[in-house]
Amino acid sequence: MIVICCALYFEAKPVITALDLRRCNENRFVEEYANEDNTIRLIITGVGEVKAASSCSAELTYLSFLYPQTTIHLVNVGTCAGREDVKGELFVINKITEQNTGRDFYPDMLYRVNLKEMPIICSSKPVKDIESDFVYDMESSGIFTSGSSLLSPDRITILKAVSDSGDFEEVTPKVIKRTIEGKIDQIKDVILLLQTTTIGENNKIDSDKFEKACNRLCLTTAMQNNFKQLLKYASLTGKNTDDILDKMPEVTSKKQGKEILDELRNELI
């Protein structure tokens, strides 16, 4: 299941139209929309880290309880501020910096999408002084931290289209809607790609072979989870996971095991 979150209805409207979503009233704590087979849902979070975090938490907790066996991928679609020369461009976010605390968060870029990567600074208020190497928003850190409480980092994707260069007074509902509409085909392509990964989660990985390969590689629990995600990705791209598991060598340290996983990641992605 894909769960899309947008801060404003004007950001969400083009997505709702493109994916043929309809208003639903399952979760009374959020404004939500869904497609006919309930594989894609969208919520309006409101502006700011706190509202975004609480709305995402309410929706993810509800869905995890209602559909416990369903794999969820959280996608934030929204606008942001950036340099004048990147106005209108759509980016996938590879690093989130929370301006108030200086903390950094890193979405796991496991699934390759055909978009430029960009770091983002999440601020508690509109930013007028734009630094050249970042874009700016007000929700991304709240969405990521809330999502991370229930999902692995590779299951959170942040998509941001640059609507302005810091002149907040010019950011009207019309400008916001037009910015998302201009990139709606790319946004739709990413969402449909990520949807195939959630469907593919049902692909079986031989548990006995997986356990033996993890032991040979001296993997920690976190590394095992990473390994499993790589195997699922391999399965989605048509590769034989049994062959991958059988070829995993025996190493003598966790460091060597991590190096093997890094090599596998580079080979697959």
Side-chain angles (χ1 to χ4, degrees):
M1 178 184 291
I2 301 295
V3 177
I4 305 165
C5 51
C6 300
L8 299 165
Y9 178 77
F10 304 105
E11 294 174 328
K13 176 59 176 173
V15 182
I16 291 170
T17 301
L19 297 175
D20 195 24
L21 308 182
R22 297 288 183 269
R23 181 69 187 266
C24 64
N25 298 302
E26 283 189 11
N27 186 351
R28 63 186 180 89
F29 295 104
V30 296
E31 180 181 347
E32 58 181 353
Y33 300 79
N35 64 349
E36 187 174 356
D37 62 3
N38 203 38
T39 56
I40 300 176
R41 297 170 77 101
L42 181 148
I43 63 170
I44 310 296
T45 67
V47 176
E49 294 176 63
V50 175
K51 287 183 178 179
S54 61
S55 294
C56 285
S57 180
E59 181 73 353
L60 292 176
T61 302
Y62 173 79
L63 294 175
S64 297
F65 175 78
L66 198 63
Y67 308 103
Q69 302 303 316
T70 298
T71 299
I72 295 173
H73 196 121
L74 181 65
V75 183
N76 173 214
V77 175
T79 54
C80 64
R83 300 189 315 264
E84 187 70 28
D85 62 305
V86 296
K87 258 189 177 182
E89 287 199 38
L90 178 70
F91 298 100
V92 58
I93 301 304
N94 58 9
K95 175 185 175 183
I96 302 165
T97 298
E98 195 173 63
Q99 191 174 55
N100 288 342
T101 65
R103 291 188 302 169
D104 294 327
F105 307 99
Y106 296 89
D108 192 338
M109 312 297 284
L110 179 59
Y111 304 105
R112 188 176 296 279
V113 299
N114 191 28
L115 293 175
K116 295 178 183 177
E117 297 181 13
M118 178 69 79
I120 196 167
I121 293 177
C122 187
S123 172
S124 59
K125 58 184 179 181
V127 174
K128 292 186 177 181
D129 298 322
I130 302 296
E131 295 184 25
S132 60
D133 296 330
F134 297 89
V135 291
Y136 296 78
D137 84 332
M138 297 173 64
E139 292 81 34
S140 54
S141 70
I143 289 167
F144 187 82
T145 54
S146 176
S148 297
S149 65
L150 290 168
L151 307 174
S152 57
D154 62 291
R155 288 296 175 194
I156 306 171
T157 299
I158 311 288
L159 304 177
K160 293 291 178 177
V162 182
S163 60
D164 65 281
S165 55
D167 193 343
F168 189 72
E169 293 179 358
E170 293 185 6
V171 186
T172 64
K174 184 177 180 180
V175 168
I176 291 171
K177 184 171 177 285
R178 187 172 64 234
T179 300
I180 298 297
E181 284 176 336
K183 294 298 179 182
I184 193 61
D185 288 341
Q186 288 175 282
I187 292 169
K188 185 177 179 180
D189 286 346
V190 171
I191 290 170
L192 295 180
L193 169 66
L194 296 176
Q195 189 177 30
T196 65
T197 72
T198 63
I199 295 171
E201 287 295 308
N202 292 324
N203 294 340
K204 297 292 185 180
I205 296 172
D206 188 300
S207 58
D208 185 54
K209 287 188 176 183
F210 178 73
E211 183 178 354
K212 289 178 179 178
C214 289
N215 289 335
R216 292 199 301 274
L217 293 171
C218 302
L219 300 184
T220 64
T221 300
M223 292 162 66
Q224 288 180 33
N225 290 335
N226 186 22
F227 187 26
K228 185 171 289 186
Q229 292 298 332
L230 289 172
L231 290 172
K232 289 174 180 177
Y233 183 83
S235 178
L236 288 170
T237 57
K239 293 181 174 59
N240 189 314
T241 55
D242 284 347
D243 287 347
I244 294 174
L245 289 168
D246 289 339
K247 291 177 182 177
M248 289 297 103
E250 187 163 355
V251 301
T252 57
S253 70
K254 295 174 185 177
K255 181 181 179 182
Q256 289 177 309
K258 184 179 183 304
E259 290 172 352
I260 297 295
L261 291 190
D262 289 341
E263 291 174 6
L264 179 61
R265 176 187 288 272
N266 291 333
E267 178 184 333
L268 293 175
I269 300 176

